[in-house]
Amino acid sequence: MVTGRRRAAQAQAAAASGHGHVIQISGSGNQVCASGAEHRSPVLHLPAEPTRLAGREKEAEAVLALLAPVSRGRPDAVVSLLSGLPGIGKTALALHVAHRAVARGWFPGGAVFLHLRGYDPAGPVGADEAVGALARALCVEDARTPDEQTGLCQAALNRLADEDRAVLLIADDAADAAQIERLVPARSAHRLLVTSRHLLTSPGFQPRLIGLDELTPQGAADLIAEALRHARPDDPRPRREADALAELAGHCGHHPLALRIAACLLTTDAGRSIAALAADLADARTRLDVLSFEDGGHTTAVQAAFHLSYQRLPPPHRQLFRQLALSPGPDIGTDAAAALAGRSRGRTRDSLAALARAGLLAEQPVLSGRWRMHDLLRVYAAALVEKDSAKWRDAAFTRLLTHCGKLARAADAHRHTHDDGPLPGDFPDRAHAVQWLEAERANLVALVTRAAATGHPHAVLDLEEHIRLFLLERRRYAGEAVTAAQHAVDSARTIGHTCCEATALEHLSQALGDCGRLPEAVEAATRSLDIARARADRKRQITALRVLGTSLRRAERFEEAVKAHTESLALCEELGDRDLIGRALVGLADTLRDRQEHEEAAGLLTEAVRHFTETGDWHAEGLNLLGLGDTLLALKRSDDAVACYRRALAVYQERGDEHHQAIAMQHLWRVSDMDPEEAVDNYEKVVAICHKVCDRPLEALALRALADRLQRLGRYDEAVTAHRRAAAIHEERDEETQLTGVLRDLGSALCAAGRFTEAAEVHEREIALFQACGDLHKEAEALERLATTLRSGRRRARALEASAAAIGRYRELDDTWCERRALGDLGLPARDAPRAERTMAAYHWVLSGLPENDTRGRASVILLAVATAQRQAWRVTDMFWSLTSVIGIVRRDDQEAEQLNDALFHLAKTTLRPGPVRTALRNRYRRPTA
C-alpha cells in the first residue's frame, strides 16, 4: 500500500536525459537511476556543493577519513552522524565531503541524497517513506510490505558491494533513530552519512558521532568576507572594516546560519557598512529580529530555526531551557541548574542531557558537569523566559543566588584554614573549594552584576564579601574584583547602610590598587574614611586609615602613607586592641620598607610579631615572621632571617597548616645552604603540597626552583619535565611575563639535555610571545638564544638567520653595544681587536644605502653586510656560510629576494659612483705617500 506522501513523491518522477529518471524526494534532493535491467544501479546526482565552506577544514577531513574505503587495521564506520544546533552547517558540510569523496572515486556505485525533513512543520518523512525513497533511488521494485521493501534494498546494496561498487547514502535532517535504522547498509563497503540536530542513538543504531560547534572567530569573519567578495570582487568593506567584521562575527555568535544571513543583508545593501550592521546587532534584545532575511516571501531566520527545535521538547525540558537564560554566566554546573529549576540533581541532569541531545546545549568539557548554551540560543531563551511571570522568574533566580551564596561562603571558609572552628561540609578540603571558585568565578561575578540589576542588594554584599579575596589573590582577576566591589558599594547605598558602604569602599580601594588605578584607589579609601569619621566609628576609622595608607604607599606618596598609618596606630593604642595595634604596625613597616628604611621597618615588624604572639593570632604571627625575615635579609642579616623563617615554619607545623608550611619552606630554602640532592627532595615535597592545596602560583615557583636544582645535578630530562609543568601553570593563568622566563630556562635545559630541536621550538615560541607584546629588545635576546641553540644543533645556516634577525632588531633600537656583541658572536672582530675598525666600516658601508625605517626583518641584507665584513676580516669560511644563508633565505621568500635586489642595487650604485661613505673609507685607509 502506498501512502499519500509516497504517491506524491512518485508523481514527481520525470524523464532525465533519456537514460534514467530524476526523483524529487520530499521537496528537495535528486536521485538519478539508470533505466533497463542491465544497469539497475544508482548514478550520482547530489544537490550542488556549497560554494563557500569557510572554517570547516578540520571537520571536513575528519568526515572524509570516515568515508574513505576500508583499509587494513582501520575499523569500519559504516554510519556517521553529523550533529549540532540548528543552522550550524551540517548539511553544507555533508554535501561538501560527499562531492569530494565521489570525486576521489571512493563510491563508484553512486550517491543517494535523502531529505528526511526531520523538523519540517508539516512533519518528518516516515521510516517507511524513507525506505521507499531509497528503493526508488536503487531502482528496486515496490514490495507489498515495508519489511520486504527493506530486504530488497539491502539485497540491491549487497549486490553492488559484491561488484565493488560502493554507495554513499546521505540522510539529511533526520528526526530520530527509528527514521533511519532501516537505511543502514548491511555491508561495510557502503557508507551512510546522517545529519541531525539530535544525537541519534538507539540499541539498533550506533553511529560514529561528529559534533559541530560554532566557527572560530577567524573562520567566521572569513565566511562573511568571502561571501561579500563572491558577490562583488571589488567590495572594499571586508578590507576596510576588518575590526567591524570581527565585531559582527562575534554578535552572530560565529554561527554559520547567522553569518550567512548577515552576509546576505550586506550583499543586498551595498551602501550599508559592516559597522552599521554590527551596531544594529549590538542590542541582544533585538539581535534575533535583525538576523532575518526575506526574499520573495521566503524568510530565513535564526529564530525560526531555533523555534522548530524548541517546540519538539517535552514541557519539563522546555521549562529548564527557559530557566537557563536566568543564569548570567557563560556556563552552569549541574548542581546550580538543579537549584535554578528547583528539582533534584538526577532529574535535572536528565533534562540537561536531553537538551544536549537536541543540540540546544553542550557539556563542555565532556564529563565536567558544566553546560554551555550558544550565545544566540541564550538570546532566544531570554526572549522566551521574559514571557513567563515575573514571580516565577524571581523565584528561580533567588534559588540560584541562595545556592551560589552558600557554596561561596563554604569555599571562602575552606580557604582560610587558619580560622578556628569546624569547616562547612560542602567541600572535602581546600583544594576542592579553590577548584570550585576557579570554575565558577565568571558565573559568580556575573551573578553579582545580575543581582545588583534585579534588586537583590543583600545577596550582592554577601557574594562580594566571599569571593573578593580569591579574586585579589589572582592578579588577572583584579578587574572583576573592581566590578564586584563597585556593585557592593551601589547596593549598600541602595539599602542605606553606611557601614556596609564603608566596607565596600575599602574592598574597592584594594581592587583598584591591584589594577594599577591608584588615584581612584586613594579616592575610594578616603570616602570610606569620611564615612567612618562622620559616624565617629573608631574601629572603622582604623581600618579605613590602614587601607588608605596602603593605597598611598602603592602610589608612592610615602609621607602621606606614613601619616595615615601613624594616625591608625594612635587610634589603636587609644582603644588598647593589641591585634589592631599589630596590624597598624605592619602597615607602617611596609611603608618604611618601600622607602628603603629597613632598620626601622624591622623594629616595627618585631613589635608586631610580639603582639600577634600574645593575642594568639598564629596565622598573622607566621606571615609577619616571614616578612620580618625578608626585611632582615635586605639588611644582610642572613642568620637572623633564617631564624625568622624557621620560627614561622614551626608555627605552621604546630597548627598543621600544610599550605603555609610550603610558603615558609620556600623562604627558608632560598637562603639556606643545602646539598643539591636534599634540595631536590625538599622542593618535590613543596610541589606536592602546593598541588594538593591548589596554590598554582606557588607550585609554579617551586617547580622552577626544583628544575634549577635538577639541572645542577645533571638530571636534565627531569628538569625539562619540571619546567614544562611550570610553563603549563603560567599558560593556564595567562601570565605571559612568567611564561617567557620559564621558556628561557626550559630552552636552556633542553640544550643541556642535547634535545636541540625541541629547544629551538621553545625559543621560537618565546620569540612569538615577545613579538605579540612588541618588546623588540627581549625578542632580539631570544633570537640570540635561538641562534646559539641552532649552532649547537649544527644548523648553522638557520643560526645565522636568527643572528641576523637579532642584529636587525638591535639596529632598529639603535642599540650599538648589543649589535656589536651579536656581531662578535658571529666571529667578527667588532670591538677592541685587530682590524675591528675596518671590519665595522665595511659592515656599515653595505647598510648605509638602505632606508632607515626599512631594517626590520631584512635578514638577507644584514647577512650580506656581515659577509662583506667577514671578507674584510679574512674570515673566509664564515663568509661562505653567511652567503649560503643569504641564498637559502632568498629562495624561500620572494619579499626577501626583492629587498636583497634593492640592497645590491644600492651597493652597486655606491661602488660605481663613490659617495660620501665611499670617499670617507678611501681617505681613511689610503696608504701614506712619500
Side-chain angles (χ1 to χ4, degrees):
M1 183 174 181
V2 181
T3 64
R5 190 188 301 275
R6 185 167 172 183
R7 289 196 196 97
Q10 288 178 335
Q12 293 174 10
S17 306
H19 300 293
H21 293 82
V22 179
I23 301 175
Q24 179 89 9
I25 296 180
S26 304
S28 66
N30 296 331
Q31 294 78 32
V32 180
C33 62
S35 59
E38 70 277 13
H39 296 295
R40 298 174 65 83
S41 62
V43 177
L44 171 68
H45 193 90
L46 292 169
E49 181 180 4
T51 55
R52 297 173 300 279
L53 194 72
R56 289 292 188 213
E57 294 78 9
K58 184 178 179 181
E59 292 87 347
E61 290 302 323
V63 179
L64 277 171
L66 294 172
L67 298 184
V70 177
S71 60
R72 291 182 181 180
R74 188 175 67 83
D76 298 347
V78 175
V79 187
S80 302
L81 172 67
L82 285 172
S83 65
L85 68 157
I88 203 67
K90 302 178 289 293
T91 302
L93 179 60
L95 288 173
H96 173 75
V97 297
H99 278 276
R100 287 180 62 184
V102 170
R104 294 181 182 184
W106 291 352
F107 297 100
V112 179
F113 185 91
L114 305 172
H115 182 33
L116 303 183
R117 305 197 327 179
Y119 292 82
D120 195 299
V125 172
D128 294 347
E129 296 173 72
V131 174
L134 177 60
R136 290 190 296 279
L138 294 172
C139 302
V140 172
E141 299 294 340
D142 283 350
R144 292 184 178 181
T145 66
D147 289 341
E148 289 178 359
Q149 192 78 80
T150 302
L152 290 174
C153 288
Q154 291 294 345
L157 289 170
N158 291 343
R159 184 183 71 252
L160 290 167
D162 292 336
E163 296 171 0
D164 292 329
R165 301 175 67 190
V167 176
L168 172 61
L169 307 178
I170 301 174
D172 183 53
D173 198 21
D176 52 44
Q179 196 179 18
I180 51 178
E181 281 178 343
R182 290 159 58 192
L183 301 177
V184 179
R187 301 284 284 275
S188 62
H190 306 299
R191 295 287 184 273
L192 171 59
L193 180 59
V194 184
T195 72
S196 177
R197 301 181 186 187
H198 273 71
L199 287 173
L200 305 181
T201 57
S202 72
F205 182 69
Q206 298 291 327
R208 183 72 62 86
L209 302 177
I210 303 172
L212 291 188
D213 207 341
E214 64 264 27
L215 299 176
T216 62
Q218 186 59 52
D222 289 346
L223 191 151
I224 299 176
E226 288 176 18
L228 295 179
R229 283 192 288 264
H230 177 78
R232 295 185 180 86
D234 59 344
D235 194 330
R237 288 177 292 180
R239 181 185 67 258
R240 190 172 57 202
E241 299 184 76
D243 292 340
L245 185 61
E247 183 183 357
L248 175 61
H251 288 324
C252 291
H254 308 128
H255 183 279
L257 176 59
L259 294 165
R260 289 197 297 271
I261 292 173
C264 286
L265 293 172
L266 291 169
T267 300
T268 54
D269 187 355
R272 189 178 196 176
S273 69
I274 296 175
L277 181 55
D280 291 341
L281 292 174
D283 188 348
R285 294 170 297 180
T286 59
R287 187 172 300 163
L288 293 181
D289 295 330
V290 178
L291 288 172
S292 176
F293 183 77
E294 188 170 349
D295 181 24
H298 175 70
T299 301
T300 303
V302 175
Q303 187 163 337
F306 291 165
H307 193 62
L308 290 173
S309 292
Y310 172 75
Q311 282 184 316
R312 293 199 54 187
L313 295 172
H317 301 344
R318 289 190 195 182
Q319 177 178 301
L320 179 60
F321 177 75
R322 299 195 306 273
Q323 286 174 321
L324 289 175
L326 299 173
S327 175
D331 62 5
I332 189 168
T334 304
D335 291 329
L340 187 66
R343 296 158 60 188
S344 68
R345 190 182 194 281
R347 288 179 60 198
T348 305
R349 169 81 200 198
D350 291 342
S351 290
L352 291 168
L355 291 174
R357 286 195 300 273
L360 300 176
L361 203 63
E363 187 178 13
Q364 294 182 345
V366 178
L367 301 177
S368 66
R370 306 204 63 80
W371 307 85
R372 176 181 173 271
M373 188 184 290
H374 188 273
D375 292 346
L376 293 180
L377 274 171
R378 181 180 291 278
V379 172
Y380 173 67
L384 291 177
V385 81
E386 283 300 315
K387 299 174 183 177
D388 291 306
S389 72
K391 183 178 180 181
W392 182 81
R393 293 196 308 269
D394 190 65
F397 185 67
T398 301
R399 287 194 298 269
L400 179 64
L401 270 177
T402 302
H403 167 81
C404 291
K406 176 176 177 290
L407 289 179
R409 283 192 297 275
D412 196 34
H414 274 275
R415 285 181 61 261
H416 298 95
T417 53
H418 56 276
D419 292 340
D420 295 328
L423 291 170
D426 301 273
F427 300 102
D429 53 35
R430 183 183 189 278
H432 285 82
V434 173
Q435 288 166 3
W436 181 84
L437 286 167
E438 194 72 59
E440 294 287 351
R441 171 194 53 80
N443 295 323
L444 292 170
V445 175
L447 201 59
V448 168
T449 302
R450 174 71 66 87
T454 53
H456 295 83
H458 292 93
V460 170
L461 293 168
D462 184 58
L463 262 180
E464 189 273 338
E465 171 67 29
H466 293 106
I467 65 173
R468 70 181 188 88
L469 289 178
F470 170 79
L471 296 174
L472 290 175
E473 285 174 356
R474 290 150 175 79
R475 290 295 179 90
R476 69 187 188 281
Y477 300 152
E480 295 175 344
V482 169
T483 300
Q486 187 61 65
H487 285 309
V489 172
D490 296 339
S491 295
R493 288 176 183 163
T494 299
I495 61 177
H497 203 306
T498 54
C499 288
C500 290
E501 183 183 353
T503 301
L505 283 166
E506 291 166 9
H507 297 172
L508 179 61
S509 177
Q510 292 173 310
L512 287 167
D514 282 354
C515 284
R517 296 161 60 178
L518 298 172
E520 296 172 78
V522 171
E523 181 187 353
T526 303
R527 284 158 54 197
S528 176
L529 178 59
D530 290 342
I531 292 173
R533 282 175 172 163
R535 292 177 53 86
D537 187 334
R538 299 174 107 189
K539 282 198 172 182
R540 195 166 296 280
Q541 285 182 56
I542 290 168
T543 306
L545 282 165
R546 189 167 67 245
V547 173
L548 175 61
T550 300
S551 298
L552 290 166
R553 173 175 63 82
R554 286 180 166 186
E556 297 186 357
R557 294 161 61 177
F558 297 119
E559 294 298 332
E560 296 170 79
V562 168
K563 182 179 178 181
H565 284 302
T566 302
E567 186 179 348
S568 174
L569 180 59
L571 286 173
C572 293
E573 289 172 343
E574 285 180 25
L575 291 177
D577 189 319
R578 299 178 70 84
D579 185 66
L580 289 177
I581 291 172
R583 297 182 189 281
L585 287 167
V586 170
L588 183 56
D590 289 340
T591 305
L592 294 175
R593 189 161 52 182
D594 282 1
R595 290 174 61 178
Q596 306 301 313
E597 297 177 18
H598 296 293
E599 198 70 58
E600 294 82 354
L604 291 171
L605 285 172
T606 301
E607 188 178 352
V609 168
R610 180 173 58 80
H611 279 285
F612 292 132
T613 304
E614 291 175 358
T615 58
D617 189 344
W618 59 270
H619 181 66
E621 178 189 358
L623 285 180
N624 287 288
L625 278 168
L626 296 176
L628 176 58
D630 292 342
T631 307
L632 292 170
L633 199 60
L635 291 169
K636 310 298 184 184
R637 294 164 57 183
S638 302
D639 292 339
D640 293 336
V642 168
C644 286
Y645 296 148
R646 291 191 185 280
R647 280 182 61 193
L649 179 59
V651 167
Y652 292 128
Q653 285 174 335
E654 182 182 347
R655 291 287 180 165
D657 187 338
E658 287 187 311
H659 182 204
H660 286 90
Q661 282 181 51
I663 296 173
M665 289 174 186
Q666 283 276 57
H667 282 76
L668 178 60
W669 297 337
R670 187 179 58 189
V671 294
S672 298
D673 293 328
M674 284 188 293
D675 178 80
E677 291 286 357
E678 181 188 0
V680 166
D681 292 340
N682 288 335
Y683 277 111
E684 284 176 344
K685 292 175 185 176
V686 172
V687 169
I689 292 172
C690 294
H691 188 75
K692 177 181 175 182
V693 300
C694 209
D695 187 336
R696 305 290 276 167
L698 189 60
E699 183 181 356
L701 195 64
L703 281 166
R704 294 184 68 176
L706 173 62
D708 177 65
R709 300 318 192 273
L710 288 167
Q711 199 163 339
R712 292 183 194 178
L713 290 171
R715 295 159 62 176
Y716 301 119
D717 290 333
E718 295 174 73
V720 166
T721 301
H723 278 310
R724 287 198 190 279
R725 287 175 61 189
I729 291 172
H730 291 310
E731 194 167 13
E732 168 195 315
R733 294 170 56 83
D734 295 326
E735 296 171 337
E736 286 193 1
T737 303
Q738 293 89 334
L739 177 59
T740 51
V742 175
L743 291 175
R744 180 194 61 228
D745 297 340
L746 173 58
S748 172
L750 286 165
C751 279
R755 296 157 62 175
F756 300 113
T757 302
E758 294 174 71
E761 291 172 357
V762 167
H763 287 310
E764 284 169 356
R765 187 179 171 200
E766 183 187 358
I767 291 164
L769 288 172
F770 287 130
Q771 286 175 339
C773 66
D775 192 329
L776 288 184
H777 201 278
K778 288 187 177 179
E779 180 190 346
E781 292 175 343
L783 281 164
E784 287 192 87
R785 288 192 287 274
L786 174 61
T788 302
T789 299
L790 291 168
R791 277 195 294 270
S792 301
R794 300 184 181 280
R795 295 166 62 184
R796 185 157 185 176
R798 283 280 293 114
L800 281 166
E801 290 179 37
S803 293
I807 292 167
R809 304 298 184 270
Y810 289 134
R811 284 186 65 79
E812 277 186 82
L813 296 167
D814 199 24
D815 189 338
T816 308
W817 192 93
C818 286
E819 181 185 358
R820 283 179 173 262
R821 183 195 65 201
L823 289 167
D825 291 340
L826 293 181
L828 283 179
R831 41 170 96 242
D832 302 330
R835 305 177 66 88
E837 189 176 355
R838 187 166 186 175
T839 298
M840 290 303 298
Y843 168 73
H844 287 294
W845 174 43
V846 174
L847 297 177
S848 61
L850 301 180
E852 292 182 4
N853 61 348
D854 199 23
T855 306
R856 182 179 173 87
R858 303 187 62 177
S860 57
V861 177
I862 296 287
L863 282 172
L864 181 65
V866 168
T868 305
Q870 287 167 334
R871 171 67 181 84
Q872 286 289 340
W874 294 98
R875 308 271 185 168
V876 180
T877 304
D878 291 336
M879 181 188 71
F880 166 78
W881 280 109
S882 297
L883 293 175
T884 302
S885 298
V886 171
I887 294 169
I889 294 172
V890 169
R891 282 180 176 173
R892 290 196 309 270
D893 193 332
D894 292 338
Q895 185 179 3
E896 285 278 359
E898 184 179 346
Q899 291 168 343
L900 183 62
N901 284 335
D902 292 342
L904 290 172
F905 172 78
H906 284 293
L907 183 61
K909 185 177 178 181
T910 306
T911 304
L912 295 174
R913 195 183 330 172
V917 175
R918 177 74 170 174
T919 303
L921 285 170
R922 183 184 59 198
N923 292 337
R924 172 176 284 185
Y925 297 112
R926 178 182 292 166
R927 291 184 180 181
T929 56

